[in-house]
Amino acid sequence: MAQASARVLQSGMRLPPMPTIRELVKLYRLQARKQLSQNFLMDERLTDKIVKSAGRIDPRDLVLEVGPGPGGITRSILRRHPQRLLLVEKDPRFGETLQLLKECASPLNIQFDIHYDDILRFNMEQHIPDTSQRIHLIGNLPFAISTRLLINWLEDLSCRRGAFRRIDTCMTLTFQKEVADRICAPVGGEQRCRLSVMSQVWTEPVMKFTIPGKAFVPKPQVDVGVVKLIPLKRPKTQLPFPLVERVVRHIFSMRQKYCRRGFGTLLPPEDREDVTQKLFQRAEVQDTLRSFELTVEQCLRLAEVYSEHLVTRPEVAAYDYRAPKNAEVL
Ligand code: SAM
């Protein structure tokens, strides 16, 4: 009998009976805190669907969950039986519910670590020194930090550091629907912006599904999109992340104007027109396209010619058209 139940647990099919998340939230009086963007998912079918979106989780894999809160998604991850589960949660009020989950899951033989920390400061290399395990990053992210966290992780990916020392670390994350649409937006799309290009230089973002706001407690003002970001085996550029970010930011700073206008603000006004024209020619990009009409490759060619320009004109790197003495009417 004991052996049979151990087999069921080992196969990752079932956790021992536990109070529901709703009951735990009530029992421990876990009122959602707005300043930590807390919106809980109580529906097991939805938490299972999020984890299923991460794809296959092998018994040797590690899952890092951001912001487990009372542990709804955590339960769904446990049912997939990774070798190690690492939780990073800023709010220590969830200590009791997460500890209960850890105890209930102990027969599963999963290495279960809980850190009460800010994910924006969490040192991946220290906590995951071993690179032999594949990592899945999963989280129903706090809205307030989701874009910042994604940009940080894209930079880590570009440098192959942190959770991205291995190129097969996928991210399955929730965003406000509008942000999710922007991340995945195609060329010419209404939502196409800096975040679309930055995400698509290093990953293939896939919109998995939408969760209606009413599925969360408390209900946020907006719906939520679940996006899986799969790192590209061959990134589209070797240029440094901050340089690409700077160029893309300037290109998209005037979304409705010809893209040469935004790009031009990278350059001092003295010879801006001339240099802009030459650089667009060299990059073989039509300067009258709007920024949202540019492909990732075109943005990267503009970043390359800008980078080459800095070799002969290094002082241009420090040029900031918004600095008070440079502030111009464009
Ligand atoms: N995973 C739970 C669920 O789906 O019901 C909770 C999701 S809730 C949207 C976001 C969670 O992230 C909360 O538990 C919140 O306390 C936590 N959180 C907020 N800021 C954080 C940060 N900087 N680092 C780690 N966790 C954070």
Side-chain angles (χ1 to χ4, degrees):
M1 176 67 187
Q3 256 182 354
S5 66
R7 257 202 314 277
V8 173
L9 292 174
Q10 286 296 331
S11 69
M13 283 162 70
R14 207 164 279 163
L15 281 165
M18 268 183 288
T20 63
I21 295 292
R22 201 177 288 278
E23 284 163 351
L24 288 176
V25 166
K26 208 164 162 195
L27 185 67
Y28 291 104
R29 299 200 173 131
L30 296 167
Q31 285 273 349
R33 291 207 168 133
K34 210 170 173 184
Q35 64 274 31
L36 287 172
S37 312
Q38 291 178 346
N39 303 95
F40 306 134
L41 266 179
M42 311 282 191
D43 184 339
E44 205 171 290
R45 282 166 308 177
L46 286 173
T47 57
D48 280 350
K49 200 168 168 189
I50 292 177
V51 178
K52 194 166 169 222
S53 300
R56 192 186 152 92
I57 296 177
D58 284 331
R60 284 184 41 73
D61 291 355
L62 181 153
V63 178
L64 183 146
E65 188 193 350
V66 182
I73 296 178
T74 320
R75 290 183 188 199
S76 298
I77 297 171
L78 286 168
R79 283 195 282 271
R80 303 289 298 281
H81 211 287
Q83 188 172 73
R84 184 174 174 209
L85 174 59
L86 188 58
L87 306 179
V88 183
E89 170 57 64
K90 194 169 177 182
D91 187 346
R93 288 183 311 146
F94 296 112
E96 282 163 310
T97 51
L98 294 177
Q99 191 55 34
L100 177 75
L101 198 51
K102 182 173 175 170
E103 280 158 25
C104 288
S106 65
L108 296 177
N109 253 335
I110 295 172
Q111 186 187 338
F112 192 132
D113 303 314
I114 311 173
H115 292 273
Y116 295 97
D117 205 345
D118 185 338
I119 189 66
L120 294 169
R121 290 191 326 219
F122 189 72
N123 186 329
M124 296 277 185
E125 293 181 15
Q126 184 189 334
H127 294 286
I128 315 174
D130 179 8
T131 53
S132 68
Q133 277 176 314
R134 179 170 178 219
I135 303 172
H136 303 262
L137 300 173
I138 298 182
N140 174 17
L141 295 185
F143 288 160
I145 63 161
S146 60
T147 309
R148 197 160 134 216
L149 185 61
L150 176 61
I151 290 288
N152 287 357
W153 280 351
L154 290 172
E155 181 159 15
D156 286 350
L157 173 58
S158 76
C159 304
R160 303 284 301 274
R161 69 184 182 208
F164 299 91
R165 282 163 288 161
R166 286 174 62 120
I167 199 70
D168 55 0
T169 300
C170 287
M171 300 169 257
T172 307
L173 307 169
T174 61
F175 297 91
Q176 295 179 47
K177 178 65 171 53
E178 194 188 305
V179 177
D181 285 338
R182 285 201 252 134
I183 292 169
C184 303
V187 178
E190 212 178 297
Q191 304 289 340
R192 183 80 164 177
C193 66
R194 173 184 79 107
L195 197 55
S196 336
V197 174
M198 293 307 288
S199 303
Q200 294 167 27
V201 170
W202 287 280
T203 75
E204 181 198 346
V206 183
M207 176 74 84
K208 288 296 192 174
F209 64 103
T210 304
I211 309 178
K214 65 176 190 295
F216 297 84
V217 180
K219 173 181 174 299
Q221 300 288 332
V222 290
D223 292 343
V224 166
V226 178
V227 181
K228 179 175 182 185
L229 295 113
I230 308 160
L232 296 175
K233 288 209 171 68
R234 282 199 302 173
K236 294 186 173 163
T237 185
Q238 294 303 324
L239 288 171
F241 186 94
L243 182 131
V244 177
E245 197 278 331
R246 179 170 159 85
V247 173
V248 174
R249 181 161 30 92
H250 279 256
I251 290 175
F252 278 92
S253 63
M254 297 180 198
R255 198 172 179 280
Q256 294 304 332
K257 302 219 164 89
Y258 292 155
C259 61
R260 65 170 182 242
R261 294 290 299 278
F263 181 88
T265 57
L266 288 160
L267 306 162
E270 301 81 68
D271 52 1
R272 176 178 293 151
E273 290 294 317
D274 240 27
V275 177
T276 304
Q277 199 186 6
K278 277 189 199 131
L279 294 185
F280 269 82
Q281 273 168 3
R282 207 180 302 155
E284 297 182 2
V285 176
Q286 196 186 321
D287 62 2
T288 52
L289 291 171
R290 323 265 159 177
S291 53
F292 58 89
E293 295 171 320
L294 293 173
T295 64
V296 167
E297 287 73 17
Q298 286 172 320
C299 290
L300 289 173
R301 287 211 298 280
L302 289 170
E304 262 155 40
V305 294
Y306 171 72
S307 163
E308 285 160 15
H309 180 64
L310 296 184
V311 176
T312 47
R313 297 276 305 276
E315 76 285 0
V316 170
Y319 175 71
D320 174 7
Y321 85 107
R322 286 184 194 276
K325 73 177 169 50
N326 297 327
E328 308 156 36
V329 181
L330 283 161

